[in-house]
Amino acid sequence: DIQMTQSPSSLSAYVGDRVTITCRASQTIDTFLNWYQHKPGNAPRVLIYRTSRLQEGVPSRFTASGSGTEFALTITSLKSEDSASYFCQQSDSTSLTFGQGTKVEVK
Amino acid sequence: EMQLVESGGGLVQPGESLRLSCEASGFTFSSYWMTWVRQAPGKGLEWVAKIKQDGSEKDYVESVKGRFTISRDNAKDSLYLHMNSLRVEDTAVYYCATFHSYDRCFDIWGRGTLVTVSP
């Protein structure tokens, strides 16, 4: 299976800050790298698919990029409602795997 | 509104069985691959199983192969997960989700149902 390693595991930042979460794959993957937001008690929500494509309805402050084994999600101007856990996920192999998650706290 | 609603979770003992259900509404269920994803307490998300639109293809994470069976009834817009020989480590919130076959992402999710396996 392709292992996905996210960093950091948690972060705390202020409203308006720019934050970046990284995701490293254990082997080179194609563009099938997705990012999800998950708030406790809610359904997870896809933010970004195919490395950098913004899901409909997701604010443009969420951007993402990457290639090979290194990928990143950036929130360009943090808002209070962005407090959540964020997960990367690869669909390059049939065995679908997620990163362990990054918990974002907005001060 | 596109919606998935899971049900069937509960408290069971190790070795017992449970069947989860997921009812879809607001979209054409039969057009989607469907999946189950779980999240154990304090852990990340883990894909569990997926099934093709017509049920002809199924796949599972290694840890549940031979114990869990995914199935669907397109006439009822419903997805199922039959879980046998449950283990303590199967304790998790189980989510059903659509899997977009072209973009290969989980694009519609339910809110989940909690399965607790405890002696």
Side-chain angles (χ1 to χ4, degrees):
Chain A
D1 290 359
I2 299 175
Q3 307 303 317
M4 307 300 293
T5 304
Q6 274 181 248
S7 61
S9 56
S10 65
L11 66 89
S12 183
Y14 291 94
V15 170
D17 281 354
R18 177 187 182 97
V19 301
T20 296
I21 300 166
T22 63
C23 181
R24 174 175 293 174
S26 60
Q27 64 189 68
T28 297
I29 63 175
D30 203 336
T31 61
F32 296 107
L33 188 287
N34 309 307
W35 291 94
Y36 302 86
Q37 179 191 64
H38 190 201
K39 298 181 180 180
N42 286 5
R45 169 195 184 193
V46 60
L47 300 173
I48 303 284
Y49 63 98
R50 288 208 181 196
T51 299
S52 59
R53 300 184 188 187
L54 194 68
Q55 177 74 342
E56 186 177 346
V58 174
S60 58
R61 64 180 180 275
F62 292 93
T63 64
S65 62
S67 65
T69 61
E70 302 286 335
F71 300 85
L73 171 72
T74 297
I75 309 173
T76 56
S77 182
L78 202 60
K79 292 195 170 186
S80 58
E81 60 260 37
D82 298 335
S83 286
S85 292
Y86 294 84
F87 296 89
C88 63
Q89 176 261 321
Q90 67 78 24
S91 298
D92 188 69
S93 75
T94 56
S95 183
L96 309 169
T97 50
F98 289 85
Q100 78 277 20
T102 297
K103 188 171 184 178
V104 173
E105 177 198 11
V106 181
K107 297 177 188 174
Chain B
E1 180 191 4
M2 297 179 290
Q3 196 171 9
L4 294 167
V5 179
E6 302 92 340
S7 60
L11 173 63
V12 295
Q13 294 190 336
E16 293 186 340
S17 300
L18 205 57
R19 187 185 85 155
L20 305 184
S21 300
C22 171
E23 187 169 343
S25 59
F27 64 96
T28 306
F29 176 77
S30 59
S31 296
Y32 282 86
W33 278 79
M34 292 299 299
T35 71
W36 288 97
V37 176
R38 66 185 178 184
Q39 185 174 33
K43 303 290 187 181
L45 297 169
E46 179 184 42
W47 164 73
V48 174
K50 63 180 186 269
I51 184 168
K52 195 176 180 179
Q53 290 90 333
D54 61 0
S56 62
E57 292 182 35
K58 303 176 185 180
D59 197 10
Y60 303 89
V61 68
E62 194 64 37
S63 60
V64 308
K65 283 182 180 176
R67 300 189 299 123
F68 289 13
T69 302
I70 189 171
S71 63
R72 66 191 296 163
D73 185 338
N74 288 341
K76 295 183 178 179
D77 290 340
S78 292
L79 176 73
Y80 307 100
L81 186 67
H82 304 257
M83 304 185 293
N84 296 324
S85 303
L86 280 161
R87 305 168 180 169
V88 170
E89 55 265 35
D90 295 318
T91 294
V93 176
Y94 285 74
Y95 300 94
C96 71
T98 60
F99 187 71
H100 197 288
S101 56
Y102 181 72
D103 292 323
R104 298 199 211 166
C105 66
F106 301 96
D107 55 351
I108 306 169
W109 294 72
R111 291 194 167 202
T113 187
L114 176 62
V115 172
T116 303
V117 185
S118 178

